[in-house]
Amino acid sequence: MELNNFLIRTITALFYGVIMIGSVLLGLVPFFIVLSVIIILSVLELNNLFKLIEIKIKPSLLILFCLTYLVVYLLNIFNKLQDIVLLAIIFCLFIFYVLIEFFIKSIKPIHNIVFTLFTFFYVTIPISLLLNYVIIESNLIYSNSNINLSGKDLLIKDIFFLNKNNEFIYTSKIIIAFYSIIWIYDTFAYLIGVSLGKRKLLKHISPNKTVEGFIGGLLITIFISLFFRNFFNFFSTIQWVIFSFIIAIFATIGDLFESMIKRFFKVKDTGNILPGHGGILDRIDSILIASPIGFLLLKIFL
């Protein structure tokens, strides 16, 4: 039974990986579409959980707001819109839901508003930040001393400019590296935890997480990151070690936080769209918390 479950998990993980990496390699539009689908599925999954405690977040309207924010955030990256527009959308979201609760006789109006905002900040903000991983200001790339401008650099080869003034570039390398770190850590933490794990990491939150899995996955991820510079030449080796270490730590926090959510709602998985894994949130939980910290590291290193 365990072998069969492992095979199902592996096949699903490969399919998920192909979708995530494939969309990045195909360009900005496919990547944007996949991010939109992730937001939609995540909102629907959280809505199903909230229903268990009679919380009503009006998912259709929330999805509309989330996707609107994603579009506006994309325009904001290209300096087409001011930051105040992003804040205005969040404010409008809050006011709109407050007004709805004024006129609808719901059982838990304050809870509805709070859980709506939680969904927006937990899912939409981190997913939107992933756009910063693929759209980079060209001066940041070319001013980085780690970049080889001879054309032999793997990063430079897959870049195409997004506007005629060469102000922005699209690259798949940074987001692929980000995904790889999380997946490497998750995979080895799981394998080591299953085979060697004895001490529970935080049993009251996630009974399956072990100290051995956490430390083993972290060490292997850091070791593999030593070779990242051979493939992703926009960070130095020490930067890759720091980046991988911090991302792996926050990926663990993301995993544990989602486990806390599931324990609160007393469910094993957030959904069943991914056989062997559960819902989409069960796959992107690490990304949701690691994305903001990764964004900050990109700002620092580049």
Side-chain angles (χ1 to χ4, degrees), residues 140-142 144-149 153 155-156 233-235:
L140 294 179
I141 291 294
Y142 289 116
N144 191 330
S145 60
N146 294 325
I147 298 300
N148 178 2
L149 296 180
D153 193 289
L155 175 66
I156 298 300
N233 198 21
F234 44 88
F235 287 165

Side-chain angles (χ1 to χ4, degrees), residues 15-295:
F15 176 77
Y16 167 79
V18 169
I19 296 296
M20 297 294 282
I21 297 298
S23 67
V24 174
L25 294 175
L26 289 174
L28 181 58
V29 173
F31 180 62
F32 185 88
I33 292 174
V34 167
L35 294 186
S36 300
V37 171
I38 288 174
I39 288 176
I40 293 171
L41 294 177
S42 299
V43 171
L44 293 177
E45 284 186 1
L46 286 172
N47 178 59
N48 289 334
L49 293 181
F50 298 158
K51 286 180 179 178
L52 298 176
I53 56 173
E54 298 183 319
I55 299 297
K56 299 178 181 180
I57 65 170
K58 302 167 186 65
S60 299
L61 289 175
L62 181 55
I63 288 173
L64 179 60
F65 267 102
C66 292
L67 295 184
T68 300
Y69 179 87
L70 188 64
V71 172
V72 173
Y73 189 81
L74 178 62
L75 295 175
N76 177 262
I77 293 176
F78 292 124
N79 297 324
K80 299 296 184 182
L81 294 173
Q82 299 297 320
D83 293 341
I84 190 65
V85 178
L86 299 177
L87 296 176
I89 288 181
I90 297 175
F91 180 74
C92 288
L93 171 67
F94 173 74
I95 295 299
F96 186 76
Y97 274 88
V98 169
L99 292 175
I100 289 178
E101 295 301 330
F102 281 168
F103 298 100
I104 296 179
K105 296 180 179 180
S106 58
I107 301 176
K108 302 176 179 179
I110 300 300
H111 294 73
N112 295 342
I113 296 171
V114 171
F115 278 80
T116 296
L117 293 175
F118 166 79
T119 303
F120 179 80
F121 281 99
Y122 178 53
V123 174
T124 307
I125 298 292
I127 293 299
S128 299
L129 288 175
L130 293 179
L131 291 169
N132 291 101
Y133 287 67
V134 297
I135 303 171
I136 307 293
E137 291 184 43
S138 56
N139 65 300
L140 294 179
I141 291 294
Y142 289 116
S143 63
N144 191 330
S145 60
N146 294 325
I147 298 300
N148 178 2
L149 296 180
S150 66
K152 296 180 181 180
D153 193 289
L154 288 175
L155 175 66
I156 298 300
K157 285 184 178 180
D158 80 328
I159 284 176
F160 63 85
F161 290 94
L162 290 175
N163 61 18
K164 295 181 180 179
N165 296 324
N166 295 344
E167 295 173 343
F168 300 94
I169 55 178
Y170 177 93
T171 176
S172 63
K173 297 298 180 182
I174 297 176
I175 192 70
I176 289 177
F178 174 73
Y179 286 160
S180 298
I181 291 169
I182 292 178
W183 295 342
I184 289 170
Y185 169 75
D186 283 346
T187 300
F188 283 100
Y190 172 77
L191 293 176
I192 294 174
V194 169
S195 57
L196 302 175
K198 294 182 180 179
R199 303 174 183 83
K200 300 300 181 181
L201 184 62
L202 289 171
K203 186 177 180 180
H204 63 287
I205 295 177
S206 181
N208 295 325
K209 295 286 186 299
T210 64
V211 174
E212 292 81 1
F214 169 68
I215 295 176
L218 188 61
L219 292 176
I220 291 177
T221 302
I222 293 173
F223 175 75
I224 293 177
S225 72
L226 295 174
F227 303 96
F228 268 38
R229 196 171 187 275
N230 296 327
F231 304 97
F232 309 111
N233 198 21
F234 44 88
F235 287 165
S236 65
T237 301
I238 187 62
Q239 284 176 327
W240 272 123
V241 171
I242 295 172
F243 189 78
S244 300
F245 174 78
I246 295 177
I247 292 301
I249 293 294
F250 277 82
T252 304
I253 295 173
D255 197 348
L256 291 171
F257 181 70
E258 199 244 1
S259 295
M260 186 184 297
I261 292 174
K262 290 189 291 187
R263 289 185 72 84
F264 176 80
F265 290 101
K266 299 179 181 180
V267 295
K268 182 178 182 296
D269 299 312
T270 59
N272 54 16
I273 193 173
L274 298 173
H277 293 267
I280 190 68
L281 287 171
D282 293 310
R283 281 303 307 169
I284 67 168
D285 51 3
S286 299
I287 292 176
L288 292 178
I289 301 300
S291 171
I293 192 66
F295 169 72

